[in-house]
Amino acid sequence: MKKQRGQLIILSGPSGAGKGTVCQAATAHNPNLKISISATTRAPRGAERDGVEYFFLDKADFEKKIEENAFLEYAKVHDHYYGTPKAHVLQMLDEGTDVILEIDVQGAAQIKEKLGFGVLIFIAPPSIEVLKKRLVNRKTDSDAQIQLRMKNALTELKQAEHYDYVIVNDTVDQAAADLEAIIRAERCRTQNNLEIIEEMLM
């Protein structure tokens, strides 16, 4: 029987919603679910390894790949490029692996438009109050940065209506279970199984 192609999961949500934590919890339960590795021009930090945490490229190589249309999306942040390598993602999907792209709302729309497929999932906090509490408890941002993140969160929440699913991250375990349930359901969609049916009818 032909192996089913992997599902592309495009995940967005405001800072503090817990996207990364939910992704890590879901991938810990599901060996066929992988988080896409981004490419960057910044230097490795600490024990970061090329091809594990990031694909590390120099600026010239990155800009060459931009010209070659080798990224699904890319952005320049604090003088460093970050991008999602197209070939890496498509190879994993062809191998039957479900791939998560954790990306902002602008990048999510770009990728869906460029590829013509993908499941858009928005991770939302249970309330604005909880979101602010999570940002404060991280102790990584100044008061001004927290206020900016809260302002951006309201803008991002308005985009949730354009997504296929919304997961409210009240508890990580439940949110991860919801993410896994969506992926299982998407694998059962008729359009994703027609080749198997046609194979049996030959």
Side-chain angles (χ1 to χ4, degrees), residues 18 21 34 38 54 58 74 82 93 106 117 141 165 193-194:
T21 307
K34 304 292 183 186
S38 296
Y54 284 94
D58 64 30
Y74 71 91
Y82 292 83
L93 293 174
Q106 291 85 3
F117 63 88
D141 296 324
Y165 300 91
N193 290 280
L194 284 178

Side-chain angles (χ1 to χ4, degrees), residues 63-131:
E63 290 179 342
K64 184 181 178 186
K65 288 184 180 294
I66 291 173
E67 291 175 11
E68 294 170 348
N69 195 29
F71 295 109
L72 291 176
E73 57 78 39
Y74 71 91
K76 198 170 188 180
V77 183
H78 306 306
D79 294 325
H80 294 296
Y81 284 114
Y82 292 83
T84 303
K86 187 194 300 183
H88 175 65
V89 171
L90 295 181
Q91 180 183 341
M92 287 195 292
L93 293 174
D94 287 342
E95 291 169 352
T97 302
D98 296 322
V99 180
I100 294 177
L101 297 183
E102 188 186 322
I103 207 86
D104 64 26
V105 291
Q106 291 85 3
Q110 286 176 30
I111 290 172
K112 182 88 182 253
E113 185 177 349
K114 185 174 284 189
L115 290 180
F117 63 88
V119 183
L120 294 176
I121 303 176
F122 192 91
I123 303 289
S127 69
I128 287 295
E129 291 74 24
V130 168
L131 181 66

Side-chain angles (χ1 to χ4, degrees), residues 12-19 105-106 122-125 127-132 135 138 145-160:
S12 307
S15 179
K19 302 181 293 299
V105 291
Q106 291 85 3
F122 192 91
I123 303 289
S127 69
I128 287 295
E129 291 74 24
V130 168
L131 181 66
K132 186 170 185 179
L135 291 172
R138 290 200 308 201
Q145 287 172 320
I146 289 171
Q147 289 303 316
L148 179 60
R149 290 190 189 280
M150 292 298 295
K151 181 182 177 183
N152 290 340
L154 293 174
T155 301
E156 290 166 325
L157 285 164
K158 291 175 184 174
Q159 300 301 313

Side-chain angles (χ1 to χ4, degrees), residues 24-65:
Q24 293 295 340
T27 54
H29 297 153
N30 185 348
N32 194 56
L33 180 62
K34 304 292 183 186
I35 300 170
S36 172
I37 301 170
S38 296
T40 183
T41 56
R42 76 159 172 78
R45 295 173 185 158
E48 287 181 339
R49 295 153 295 171
D50 183 52
V52 179
E53 284 79 16
Y54 284 94
F55 294 113
F56 293 101
L57 304 173
D58 64 30
K59 186 180 177 184
D61 283 342
F62 200 105
E63 290 179 342
K64 184 181 178 186
K65 288 184 180 294

